[in-house]
Amino acid sequence: MQHFLKQHIISFLLLLVTSIYAQEVSVINNKGTILNIRNNTVTTANTSNSNPVENDIWFDTSSSPTTIKIYNGTSWEKLSPTATEGSVFFAGATGIPTEDNTQLFWDSTNNRLGIGTSSPTNKFHVTGAMRTEGILNSDGTIGRPSYRFKNDTDTGMYSPVADEISFSVGGIEALNIDEISNNTTVTIKQTLKLDGHILDENNSAGTYGQILSATNTGTIWIDTSAINTDTQKINIYTLNADGKNLEISLENDGETTKQTDLSALKITGDVSGTLASTTVERIQNIDVSYISPTDGQTLVYDNTSSQYIPKKTFTPTVSERYPNAIQTIAESSNFTTINFQSQDFTPNNSDYTNTSNGIIVLKAGRYKITYRITSEAINNVRVGGEFQLTKNTISVNNTRAYSYQTSSLVNKSTVTMVKILDLIVNDKIGVEGRVYESDRGTPDSLSILPEGTMLTIEKIN
């Protein structure tokens, strides 16, 4: 309402005059006193009234928006202050609102406040020294510390966890300070380079040649003479042939070799007795049998007696046979024995007996048996061959293998079979083969070739 009345009064005055000079008139009040009343002028123009009197009003239209001014008897004072965009008003020396954008400025475009600058680059930008009673920063991170620098934002100080401060340089933690139970620990995470002195618990930097030594409360500098500096090593330490005298000598000491009698040195544990006469009684706390070993025996654990005993360990044995010449097998429902008559090495005659139609084992046990047969088609026909392992001339289950020759261009084929068998003394192992089919109307044959044909028996247990 006040604003509305003010606007109407101003409009009414503007309708009455555009340039009215102040006049004084005399009036009598209710008490009969004569008073002087001044009729002030209100001017709206680009320039002020040329003869103003105190309290004249001037609507200065030379600026936008229009500025309302009042004459104080000496000069025109603003009633409606205006300023540069971004100005923050404060009371001047006369108490009238004033501005100083170089020292106090608000960037309304970027929502930034500048102190000492009219171009703030952060939310709060201070140019010059700043004093505060305290700053509550965020914890920050190793790559973006809470206290960092304008042109190096990954270098500064941050807090990884409560009661802990770290300093990062280039996004790498270089130093850490933490507190646990009122004790602080400073940890250098990177290389420590010292250009000055290190002070000990007595606030002493030490003297040339001294070293730091730990104490119950910290560290102190001490002279090297306070520690043993003898760098000599034992040069000779030989146990004599008598098994009890140890010869010892230090290098470069000028002394003769010294001997120490160790015969009375008692030994307990897995090895008992004295150094001159020791007995191995246990190995890893397992008893060792007193049975005297024989040639070829080794010490093995026996589950029955729960101790180590001397025993001859298993040694694998092998026998292997090859054909002497080409052998022919015919197309038939019956198998023909493959003859193996030659050998590259002679097996132990207490383990095997080699015959022309197989190998006889002389010791019971578990054996790995392998046969390989290479056959060749005699005529330019397609021929199928079938082979099997025999034990004492009886076919062994799951030991058959099959070959197939297609023509004179592809006329050779090789089959291989491996079988594990438990054998007893004098079991004979052999191989049989036959032609089971050809593409001619008349029976055909296959040739068994010496190259690529063999029978091997290996004792594995």
Side-chain angles (χ1 to χ4, degrees):
M1 177 62 73
Q2 291 178 348
H3 177 74
F4 177 77
L5 292 174
K6 180 180 178 182
Q7 290 295 107
H8 277 69
I9 292 171
I10 293 173
S11 300
F12 176 72
L13 292 173
L14 290 175
L15 289 174
L16 291 177
V17 294
T18 58
S19 180
I20 300 176
Y21 296 99
Q23 297 178 357
E24 287 187 356
V25 294
S26 297
V27 297
I28 298 174
N29 63 11
N30 293 332
K31 295 181 179 181
T33 304
I34 299 174
L35 299 174
N36 291 328
I37 298 175
R38 178 171 292 172
N39 185 18
N40 294 97
T41 301
V42 177
T43 305
T44 301
N46 289 338
T47 59
S48 66
N49 188 348
S50 60
N51 294 305
V53 294
E54 187 176 4
N55 294 328
D56 274 1
I57 303 298
W58 173 30
F59 287 83
D60 185 358
T61 59
S62 63
S63 62
S64 180
T66 298
T67 304
I68 303 174
K69 301 179 180 179
I70 189 170
Y71 192 70
N72 64 7
T74 303
S75 62
W76 292 97
E77 297 290 345
K78 293 180 180 180
L79 291 178
S80 56
T82 61
T84 303
E85 182 183 359
S87 295
V88 179
F89 286 114
F90 59 91
T94 62
I96 298 174
T98 187
E99 61 178 321
D100 188 349
N101 290 330
T102 60
Q103 297 301 322
L104 185 61
F105 183 80
W106 173 252
D107 181 354
S108 60
T109 301
N110 298 304
N111 295 325
R112 297 169 180 169
L113 178 63
I115 304 294
T117 177
S118 59
S119 302
T121 58
N122 291 90
K123 198 72 173 177
F124 181 51
H125 185 166
V126 178
T127 300
M130 183 175 67
R131 180 174 179 177
T132 177
E133 295 296 328
I135 298 176
L136 297 177
N137 279 354
S138 63
D139 292 340
T141 63
I142 190 172
R144 192 174 179 82
S146 179
Y147 183 86
R148 55 189 181 274
F149 302 94
K150 176 181 177 182
N151 298 320
D152 193 1
T153 58
D154 60 357
T155 296
M157 182 174 65
Y158 68 101
S159 178
V161 295
D163 299 329
E164 194 168 320
I165 295 175
S166 285
F167 293 83
S168 62
V169 180
I172 299 174
E173 186 180 22
L175 183 144
N176 176 274
I177 305 173
D178 70 345
E179 179 274 332
I180 300 176
S181 300
N182 296 324
N183 292 315
T184 59
T185 302
V186 179
T187 304
I188 304 296
K189 296 297 186 75
Q190 302 295 322
T191 301
L192 176 64
K193 179 182 178 182
L194 299 177
D195 290 331
H197 296 288
I198 297 179
L199 302 181
D200 64 10
E201 62 185 47
N202 298 320
N203 205 32
S204 171
T207 59
Y208 180 79
Q210 285 189 316
I211 63 173
L212 275 177
S213 177
T215 67
N216 291 332
T217 57
T219 56
I220 60 172
W221 290 104
I222 63 171
D223 295 328
T224 56
S225 59
I227 61 174
N228 182 14
T229 58
D230 188 357
T231 59
Q232 287 182 317
K233 299 178 181 179
I234 296 177
N235 193 34
I236 300 174
Y237 40 96
T238 304
L239 187 64
N240 287 353
D242 59 12
K244 64 181 182 179
N245 282 298
L246 180 67
E247 292 186 354
I248 302 175
S249 176
L250 293 176
E251 61 180 356
N252 304 322
D253 64 348
E255 296 287 339
T256 58
T257 300
K258 303 295 184 180
Q259 283 192 358
T260 300
D261 188 352
L262 301 178
S263 59
L265 180 63
K266 291 186 177 181
I267 302 173
T268 60
D270 288 352
V271 179
S272 66
T274 60
L275 185 63
S277 178
T278 58
T279 301
V280 177
E281 294 185 340
R282 286 173 295 278
I283 298 176
Q284 295 183 335
N285 209 33
I286 298 176
D287 290 339
V288 177
S289 171
Y290 285 95
I291 300 174
S292 298
T294 60
D295 184 49
Q297 288 184 323
T298 58
L299 202 60
V300 297
Y301 179 73
D302 179 65
N303 190 60
T304 302
S305 60
S306 299
Q307 62 179 350
Y308 290 102
I309 63 173
K311 187 177 181 181
K312 194 167 186 178
T313 58
F314 169 75
T315 302
T317 59
V318 179
S319 178
E320 192 167 71
R321 300 275 279 167
Y322 301 89
N324 272 344
I326 296 175
Q327 180 181 352
T328 300
I329 59 174
E331 183 176 345
S332 172
S333 59
N334 298 320
F335 284 86
T336 300
T337 299
I338 308 296
N339 293 322
F340 298 93
Q341 299 180 357
S342 60
Q343 58 192 28
D344 285 340
F345 62 92
T346 302
N348 192 321
N349 57 16
S350 64
D351 298 319
Y352 304 96
T353 299
N354 288 340
T355 65
S356 62
N357 55 359
I359 301 174
I360 299 173
V361 299
L362 302 179
K363 292 180 180 178
R366 181 164 294 173
Y367 291 80
K368 175 183 177 182
I369 303 168
T370 304
Y371 75 81
R372 184 177 68 233
I373 305 295
T374 299
S375 59
E376 180 181 32
I378 298 175
N379 301 307
N380 186 24
V381 293
R382 289 192 292 270
V383 179
E386 181 178 17
F387 306 90
Q388 65 182 6
L389 199 65
T390 62
K391 182 178 74 172
N392 301 323
T393 69
I394 298 173
S395 174
V396 178
N397 291 334
N398 301 318
T399 62
R400 291 192 181 184
Y402 299 87
S403 66
Y404 179 64
Q405 285 87 334
T406 60
S407 65
S408 61
L409 295 177
V410 184
N411 64 344
K412 294 181 178 63
S413 181
T414 299
V415 296
T416 302
M417 176 62 66
V418 178
K419 183 69 175 176
I420 304 297
L421 291 177
D422 288 323
L423 304 178
I424 62 175
V425 176
N426 293 324
D427 274 345
K428 178 190 284 188
I429 299 300
V431 181
E432 296 178 337
R434 72 185 182 96
V435 174
Y436 67 87
E437 190 62 77
S438 68
D439 64 350
R440 296 200 309 170
T442 58
D444 280 295
S445 301
L446 280 175
S447 294
I448 305 303
L449 304 181
E451 285 293 330
T453 300
M454 63 83 176
L455 172 63
T456 302
I457 298 180
E458 179 183 4
K459 193 173 190 298
I460 58 176
N461 197 353

